[in-house]
């Protein structure tokens, strides 16, 4: 958001508007004039200070008023402990720059605002809340997962039109790492759905009672979000319906060139055998597409949850 400084005519009109606003607030004319005079004296006191501070040749009255207000907000931001005290522009801080003598103000989301937004977005995206607000610095890098972490960092920063397949034993950090990538996408205002596969499929089944969203509406969200994470594919009961739904989701994202992150305890060959117990043909099609779409990363066999 940018705000340009008004010209001299607008500044003069601004003085009239200030007078009119005082009148509309029920302030008597004499009192309004006194207040306006005090405001003008305050502006003139600040003018030499701001001219030197910002290294410009001229400042309009409106420039000075905006700078004064922005600096007051910046001071509140410096002393903030997390609960924004501002009534307007909460959780954003103003930044000022002059271009060709014109003052521009940009509003930047503060770290507390980002934390609040990210926590809300994680909840809406179904990212596990135990990982909400975590960063790559919080992730333990081991010899087993070093390559996977490097790949994840690259993926989160570059956001290529590729997909990822994370596999390894339980407790090796696949879900945690996928959550970190998801949050980098959320920080950039991209849409993310983090779906534990059994729960994701259960959400589709819940539409069968004809209440709320239809099955197609749910599937359309899975098809079109910027990033879909299928966590723990191959877990739960495998039926022909389960395999059919997985194929529909993966195939749609494949055809739309949409990003996908898949985590599993199984490598692709093991996953094919697991899904083939219900539908051999669809199992081959699913793993064929995943093989083409995904960069694969192995996390090893050391269950970090079992550490003493």
């Amino acid at each position: 958001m940018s705000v340009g400084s008004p010209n001299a005519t607008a500044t003069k009109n601004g003085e009239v508007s200030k007078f009119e606003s005082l009148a509309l607030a029920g302030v008597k004319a004499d009192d309004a004039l006194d207040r306006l005079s005090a405001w003008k004296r305050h502006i003139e006191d600040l003018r030499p200070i701001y001219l030197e501070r910002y290294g410009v040749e001229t400042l309009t009255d409106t420039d000075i008023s905006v700078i004064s207000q922005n600096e007051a907000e910046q001071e509140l931001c410096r002393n903030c402990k997390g609960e924004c005290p501002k009534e307007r522009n909460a959780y954003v801080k103003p930044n000022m720059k002059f271009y060709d003598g014109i003052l521009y103000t940009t509003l930047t989301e503060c770290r507390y605002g980002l934390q609040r937004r990210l926590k809300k977005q994680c909840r809406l995206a179904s990212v596990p809340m135990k990982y909400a607000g975590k960063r790559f610095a919080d992730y333990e890098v081991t010899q087993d997962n070093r390559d996977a972490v490097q790949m994840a960092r690259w993926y989160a920063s570059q956001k290529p039109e590729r997909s990822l397949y994370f596999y390894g034993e339980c407790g090796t950090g696949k879900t945690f790492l996928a959550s970190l990538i998801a949050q980098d996408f959320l920080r950039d205002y991209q849409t993310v759905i983090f779906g534990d596969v059994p729960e994701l499929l259960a959400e589709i089944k819940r539409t069968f009672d004809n209440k709320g969203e239809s099955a197609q509406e749910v599937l359309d969200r899975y098809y079109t979000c910027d990033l879909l994470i299928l966590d723990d594919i191959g877990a739960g009961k495998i039926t022909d319906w389960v395999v059919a739904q997985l194929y529909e989701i993966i195939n749609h994202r494949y055809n739309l060139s949409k990003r996908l992150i898949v985590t599993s305890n199984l490598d692709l060959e093991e996953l094919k055998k697991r899904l083939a117990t219900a539908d051999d043909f669809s199992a081959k099609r699913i793993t064929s597409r995943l093989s083409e779409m995904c960069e694969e990363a192995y996390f090893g066999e050391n269950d970090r949850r079992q550490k003493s």
Side-chain angles (χ1 to χ4, degrees):
M1 185 188 311
S2 297
V3 179
S5 169
N7 57 30
T9 302
T11 301
K12 183 177 179 181
N13 291 338
E15 294 174 11
V16 175
S17 296
K18 188 173 184 67
F19 180 83
E20 289 175 343
S21 66
L22 289 170
L24 289 171
V27 178
K28 293 181 180 179
D30 289 344
D31 291 340
L33 287 171
D34 287 343
R35 293 190 190 184
L36 184 59
S37 296
W39 176 76
K40 287 289 292 179
R41 288 194 300 272
H42 179 62
I43 291 294
E44 293 308 316
D45 289 342
L46 291 175
R47 190 181 305 278
I49 298 172
Y50 290 165
L51 286 171
E52 180 178 359
R53 182 176 298 170
Y54 292 95
V56 293
E57 295 181 359
T58 60
L59 286 171
T60 67
D61 290 357
T62 302
D63 288 337
I64 296 169
S65 181
V66 169
I67 292 171
S68 177
Q69 181 173 322
N70 285 345
E71 288 193 348
E73 288 193 21
Q74 288 172 343
E75 183 63 23
L76 289 174
C77 290
R78 278 191 289 272
N79 296 321
C80 181
K81 303 300 182 184
E83 288 296 326
C84 187
K86 296 187 294 182
E87 292 184 4
R88 70 182 195 95
N89 296 335
Y91 294 102
V92 294
K93 57 182 180 180
N95 305 285
M96 295 177 287
K97 288 233 177 194
F98 281 88
Y99 294 100
D100 295 327
I102 298 176
L103 173 63
Y104 289 87
T105 297
T106 58
L107 301 178
T108 305
E109 186 177 37
C110 73
R111 60 185 174 127
Y112 297 118
L114 173 60
Q115 289 170 3
R116 286 167 59 92
R117 175 172 66 83
L118 195 57
K119 188 173 183 179
K120 179 179 179 180
Q121 288 181 317
C122 281
R123 188 177 296 109
L124 293 173
S126 299
V127 174
M129 293 310 295
K130 67 182 292 186
Y131 302 129
K134 299 290 187 181
R135 291 183 174 269
F136 280 101
D138 301 310
Y139 190 88
E140 181 185 357
V141 181
T142 67
Q143 190 63 39
D144 288 334
N145 66 27
R146 189 177 306 278
D147 290 343
V149 174
Q150 184 177 357
M151 182 184 293
R153 284 180 175 274
W154 164 79
Y155 194 85
S157 64
Q158 300 300 314
K159 298 178 176 60
E161 291 187 358
R162 288 283 292 161
S163 297
L164 300 176
Y165 188 84
F166 291 164
Y167 68 101
E169 293 297 322
C170 296
T172 51
K174 303 180 296 295
T175 299
F176 188 0
L177 199 58
S179 298
L180 296 177
I181 297 173
Q183 291 179 77
D184 261 297
F185 275 75
L186 291 172
R187 286 186 187 96
D188 288 346
Y189 297 92
Q190 301 211 38
T191 55
V192 175
I193 295 177
F194 194 110
D196 171 76
V197 169
E199 174 55 31
L200 180 147
L201 297 175
E203 184 179 11
I204 298 172
K205 283 187 174 181
R206 284 194 290 271
T207 66
F208 296 167
D209 63 6
N210 296 320
K211 295 179 181 178
E213 285 185 299
S214 68
Q216 190 58 53
E217 287 172 328
V218 172
L219 286 168
D220 284 343
R221 288 194 286 109
Y222 299 159
Y223 296 158
T224 60
C225 61
D226 294 317
L227 175 65
L228 175 66
I229 299 174
L230 297 178
D231 190 39
D232 214 7
I233 193 171
K237 185 178 181 181
I238 303 298
T239 66
D240 55 352
W241 181 85
V242 166
V243 177
Q245 298 307 306
L246 289 174
Y247 174 73
E248 286 297 318
I249 294 167
I250 292 168
N251 188 56
H252 269 82
R253 295 194 70 84
Y254 171 83
N255 289 331
L256 294 171
S257 296
K258 288 285 191 177
R259 300 178 187 92
L260 177 69
I261 297 177
V262 180
T263 77
S264 181
N265 297 336
L266 311 170
D267 64 27
L268 284 174
E269 187 60 32
E270 292 169 331
L271 178 65
K272 181 168 67 174
K273 293 176 181 177
R274 170 86 170 126
L275 300 179
T277 59
D279 185 339
D280 181 64
F281 182 62
S282 293
K284 290 177 181 177
R285 298 173 81 188
I286 288 171
T287 52
S288 174
R289 280 157 177 72
L290 290 177
S291 179
E292 181 180 339
M293 295 168 68
C294 298
E295 302 289 341
E296 297 178 46
Y298 179 55
F299 282 67
E301 300 178 357
N302 294 320
D303 186 345
R304 292 187 290 180
R305 299 191 191 108
Q306 298 299 323
K307 285 185 176 180
S308 57

